[in-house]
């Protein structure tokens, strides 16, 4: 079976840094994606990791360790608009994406 | 905006009815995937179409069926609707299977089954 785990909810303060973890156990691996989804909207692409290491893109960074089945999304200088759900998704060898249940992040002033 | 459009945006059906949801993929994309997202959950893979052929299916019963047309637009059909089919149905398009596989999602069709 396929298993992707991420925390259900997190809270943080505006201007702070937050790290959202994701662990996975899947039959096949062809990359890991992070998507952002605001309530009532479609998911939007944030990052993609296929090799081990850190990918940085502005305020957002994503890390992958394939040997540990682990990834995290790091959000810096949090803004109120960052309040959303963050979805971790693994691309299987069949090109299918398997999503976790998402982490709902609330940013407070 | 991703260029993926879905219709209708909202609809209400009753148990036992049938529904057809439509999706126009982003220009240049030949692969369409459909996902079901229940409230508070992550998207669940239903199936994927590549060049008009089904190219993978998740754990959904046969009453969930689909089509892809020569222009790469797609339909999702659900027969004999059940209350648990109430969800947001997301269509996502992507380029050739050889690329990163990033999915571009439409805004979704929110289905309520009463």
């Amino acid at each position: 079976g396929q298993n992707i785990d991420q925390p259900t909810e997190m809270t943080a303060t505006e201007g702070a840094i937050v790290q959202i973890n994701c662990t996975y156990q899947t039959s096949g691996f062809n990359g890991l994606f992070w998507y952002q989804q605001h309530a009532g909207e479609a998911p939007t692409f944030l990052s993609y990791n296929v090799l081990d290491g850190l990918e940085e893109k502005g305020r957002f960074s994503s890390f992958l360790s394939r040997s540990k089945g682990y990834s995290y999304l790091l959000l810096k200088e949090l803004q109120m608009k960052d309040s959303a759900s963050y979805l971790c998704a693994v691309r299987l060898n069949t090109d299918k994406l398997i999503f976790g249940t998402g982490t709902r992040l609330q940013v407070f002033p | 905006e991703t260029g993926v459009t879905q219709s209708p945006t909202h609809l209400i059906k009753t148990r036992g009815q049938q529904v057809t949801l439509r999706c126009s993929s982003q220009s240049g994309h030949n692969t369409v995937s459909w996902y079901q997202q229940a409230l508070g959950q992550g998207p669940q893979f239903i199936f994927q179409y590549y060049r008009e052929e089904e190219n993978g299916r998740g754990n959904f019963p046969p009453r969930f069926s689909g089509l892809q047309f020569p222009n790469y637009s797609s339909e999702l059909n659900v027969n004999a609707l059940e209350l648990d089919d109430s969800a947001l149905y997301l269509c996502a398009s992507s380029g050739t299977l050889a690329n990163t596989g990033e999915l571009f999602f439409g805004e979704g069709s929110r289905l309520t089954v009463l």
Side-chain angles (χ1 to χ4, degrees):
Chain A
Q2 323 292 357
N3 196 42
I4 299 177
D5 286 320
Q6 45 181 138
T8 305
E9 289 193 9
M10 298 183 71
T11 59
T13 307
E14 199 174 13
I17 299 173
V18 71
Q19 178 174 312
I20 303 175
N21 296 323
C22 171
T23 58
Y24 63 90
Q25 290 177 306
T26 58
S27 57
F29 178 85
N30 204 12
L32 187 141
F33 291 82
W34 284 95
Y35 279 82
Q36 181 191 60
Q37 186 175 27
H38 285 99
E41 298 182 10
T44 55
F45 170 80
L46 288 178
S47 69
Y48 171 69
N49 296 69
V50 65
L51 299 176
D52 290 352
L54 189 67
E55 294 280 342
E56 296 186 82
K57 192 185 287 186
R59 294 190 298 116
F60 294 3
S61 303
S62 57
F63 172 83
L64 175 67
S65 169
R66 288 172 297 170
S67 62
K68 295 181 180 178
Y70 168 69
S71 172
Y72 68 72
L73 179 69
L74 193 71
L75 293 78
K76 302 176 186 175
E77 301 169 16
L78 280 172
Q79 302 174 9
M80 297 297 291
K81 67 179 182 179
D82 297 329
S83 293
S85 286
Y86 291 86
L87 300 165
C88 172
V90 171
R91 184 187 188 206
L92 303 182
N93 294 338
T94 57
D95 293 316
K96 183 170 75 172
L97 277 194
I98 303 296
F99 284 84
T101 55
T103 299
R104 187 180 163 199
L105 173 67
Q106 287 186 289
V107 180
F108 293 100
Chain B
E1 189 173 311
T2 63
V4 179
T5 57
Q6 293 186 242
S7 63
T9 54
H10 295 81
L11 69 166
I12 300 173
K13 293 282 188 178
T14 56
R15 271 192 312 177
Q17 284 189 310
Q18 178 266 343
V19 68
T20 297
L21 307 178
R22 296 179 175 83
C23 171
S24 294
S25 59
Q26 183 162 313
S27 177
H29 285 180
N30 55 20
T31 303
V32 172
S33 304
W34 285 93
Y35 287 81
Q36 180 195 65
Q37 188 175 24
L39 200 61
Q41 301 295 315
Q44 298 293 312
F45 176 75
I46 303 175
F47 43 55
Q48 182 184 83
Y49 280 84
Y50 172 64
R51 292 186 176 180
E52 302 176 60
E53 298 283 331
E54 188 177 288
N55 184 51
R57 187 179 182 94
N59 294 326
F60 281 81
R63 59 189 185 84
F64 285 77
S65 63
L67 280 174
Q68 188 179 30
F69 300 100
N71 66 355
Y72 303 134
S73 66
S74 178
E75 284 183 358
L76 164 66
N77 298 290
V78 187
N79 294 323
L81 283 167
E82 301 177 359
L83 296 180
D84 286 348
D85 295 333
S86 295
L88 180 67
Y89 288 85
L90 294 164
C91 168
S93 75
S94 55
T96 64
L97 296 181
N99 71 5
T100 63
E102 175 190 342
L103 297 180
F104 296 85
F105 285 92
E107 293 296 317
S109 294
R110 185 164 296 282
L111 170 66
T112 302
V113 181
L114 301 176

